[in-house]
Amino acid sequence: MSTFQLGRYALSTSQPQVMGILNVTPDSFSDGGQLLAGSAVSRGALLRRAEAMVQAGASILDIGGESTRPGAEPVSAQQELDRVVPAVEMIAAELDVAVSVDSSTPAVIRAAAAAGCDLINDVRALQRAGALSAAAESGLPVCLMHMQGQPGSMQQAPSYDDVVSEVAAFLRQRVSVCEAAGIERQRLLLDPGFGFGKTLQHNLQLLNRLGQLRQLGLPLLIGVSRKSMVGAVTGRSLEQRLVGSVAAAQMALQQGAWILRVHDVDATMDMVRLCRAVWSEGDDVDG
Ligand code: 9MG
């Protein structure tokens, strides 16, 4: 069995893995309970949501303190630290699950590593000043994601000649930069960044040809859960995108994606179990 070392955990690369999304922004958790240090997030509510995701089958939880949605307001490094670090400490101590931190901020990367996180998930692919050395020094694996532009303006006029080859070229170049900075290839995961500086057509082309990114030779993480591409195709509101999100995730798995970053762990795990059951019959030909 081949594995990828995600901090404290060696995860099988021959089995799809599900990463649950845990946003620790003030609007996400407000049940009036005891708050995480320096943040507006309730400790109990966060732990309950995290536990439910682990129970449902998530092997990784991705903790984020800054929204990267198009047009979202940036937060200060201190706000991000206040939100993310206590959450990482608590989940790493209380639950048997790999902890990922969704951040581009060097101070957050360092503090999260010290607090026990297992993966850095950077939508800016370590391009922010100081992020590359912070990640290199952490010794942790990193997910490098493609984004054209910045969250505030990335959906204004995304443009590519060929989105798949341009995303591939960008990711290849970031892998070289990481290797030169001392982050070994075997610590890297790649993500095409659905919805990040891409039109609906770009997103659909990327999903249709996702298998081409396997040629980069590194495991793929993808996030399509509840994204606008699912809404645009199905005509569904944010809360009604479960079926479309699971279908899109299945198409990604079928083309070799390894980690699915999702809001709905339960439903995604049903799909993953079905895929595993079908694929496990693939090798035997007994008439
Ligand atoms: C933080 N975040 C939001 N969407 C994402 C995606 O598609 N991939 C990764 N790696 N991170 C994401």
Side-chain angles (χ1 to χ4, degrees), residues 62 68 102 121 123 143 145 191 194 196 221 223 227 261:
D62 190 37
T68 46
D102 152 23
N121 173 29
V123 298
C143 176
M145 199 199 78
D191 184 335
F194 286 99
F196 284 82
L221 185 158
K227 288 207 174 162
R261 182 179 183 277

Side-chain angles (χ1 to χ4, degrees), residues 1-158:
M1 178 181 80
S2 73
T3 60
F4 186 99
Q5 194 65 39
L6 214 70
R8 298 164 295 160
Y9 294 87
L11 300 185
S12 165
T13 49
S14 47
Q15 300 288 346
Q17 306 288 336
V18 172
M19 168 189 264
I21 300 170
L22 264 188
N23 291 324
V24 284
T25 47
D27 52 333
S28 313
F29 297 93
S30 49
D31 70 349
Q34 189 197 355
L35 301 181
L36 286 172
S39 97
V41 171
S42 155
R43 208 183 143 80
L46 177 63
L47 193 56
R48 281 194 296 280
R49 197 176 294 185
E51 266 169 347
M53 285 182 167
V54 175
Q55 199 92 52
S59 47
I60 311 162
L61 298 180
D62 190 37
I63 300 175
E66 177 180 24
S67 173
T68 46
R69 273 199 300 273
E73 286 296 310
V75 300
S76 71
Q78 192 57 53
Q79 276 174 310
E80 213 188 324
L81 281 167
D82 290 344
R83 291 175 185 176
V84 167
V85 175
V88 172
E89 272 168 358
M90 179 177 74
I91 291 168
E94 302 277 341
L95 300 180
D96 184 18
V97 68
V99 178
S100 162
V101 164
D102 152 23
S103 182
S104 307
T105 310
V108 176
I109 292 173
R110 286 182 210 282
C117 91
D118 301 291
L119 171 70
I120 297 155
N121 173 29
D122 186 3
V123 298
R124 294 177 182 81
L126 303 179
Q127 292 178 98
R128 197 172 256 178
L132 197 59
S133 54
E137 285 159 26
S138 75
L140 291 172
V142 182
C143 176
L144 301 170
M145 199 199 78
H146 174 273
M147 166 165 54
Q148 187 180 84
Q150 291 298 318
S153 54
M154 64 189 177
Q155 290 307 109
Q156 280 167 15

Side-chain angles (χ1 to χ4, degrees), residues 266-283:
D266 239 333
T268 308
M269 280 303 301
D270 282 354
M271 177 274 283
V272 166
R273 286 187 192 105
L274 203 68
C275 287
R276 283 181 185 154
V278 172
W279 294 338
S280 70
E281 295 298 326
D283 296 335

